[in-house]
Amino acid sequence: MDGLILVLTALAGCLMPVQPAVNAVTAQMMSSPYLASFFSFLTGTLVLGLLCLALRLPWPDGKIIMGLPWWAWLAGPMGAFFVTMTIVAVPRLGAMSVMALLIAGQMGMSLVMDHFGWLGIPAQPISLWRILGAILLFTGVVLIRKF
């Protein structure tokens, strides 16, 4: 099962630069990054709804939904911000620059989240090697943007 997860995760990574490019074309045709983002989320929601139905997943009890922490409701808006920003950025910066910036941002925030153990992530203190890895990644972003 871990092998399948590894392969599917790599596939998801391969699709990361494809999705903003597809969404950017949609935005151009619709004359709006917000409409393109809306339709991206709409189709994604439909696919996930059908998957939940196909898997016969039970709908969570209202108490569970209402018991979610306030910050759990921010995941959707965070996704909308992410998708919309990639739609806006890819035509201006190119897929590689956008992906490099996204990865650099992900690495920086991951260092902080790991260090403090935020949101249930097991705490892993910042080390020299982790900082060096982040610096090398940020250097890569600069090189990609400059040359």
Side-chain angles (χ1 to χ4, degrees):
M1 186 57 140
D2 284 350
L4 178 61
I5 291 171
L6 289 171
V7 170
L8 292 177
T9 301
L11 175 61
C14 290
L15 294 177
M16 283 184 70
V18 175
Q19 182 195 26
V22 169
N23 284 338
V25 170
T26 304
Q28 185 177 28
M29 294 178 76
M30 293 184 167
S31 300
S32 171
Y34 308 108
L35 285 172
S37 204
F38 172 78
F39 280 97
S40 177
F41 272 85
L42 178 64
T43 56
T45 299
L46 291 173
V47 167
L48 288 173
L50 291 172
L51 179 63
C52 290
L53 287 173
L55 295 174
R56 297 184 176 157
L57 298 176
W59 194 253
D61 183 85
K63 290 180 183 178
I64 292 172
I65 294 171
M66 296 308 293
L68 290 172
W70 66 268
W71 44 263
W73 297 99
L74 298 177
M78 283 187 254
F81 176 72
F82 175 86
V83 168
T84 304
M85 283 310 305
T86 61
I87 291 170
V88 171
V90 164
R92 290 173 174 86
L93 304 176
M96 187 162 182
S97 291
V98 170
M99 288 301 115
L101 289 164
L102 290 172
I103 292 167
Q106 290 169 355
M107 295 302 287
M109 188 57 155
S110 295
L111 274 172
V112 173
M113 291 180 71
D114 279 354
H115 181 74
F116 292 107
W118 288 351
L119 302 175
I121 296 172
Q124 297 182 30
I126 291 177
S127 67
L128 176 63
W129 293 111
R130 288 176 150 231
I131 291 172
L132 181 60
I135 290 170
L136 289 172
L137 189 62
F138 286 118
T139 303
V141 170
V142 171
L143 290 173
I144 288 168
R145 287 293 304 145
K146 291 283 185 190
F147 302 104

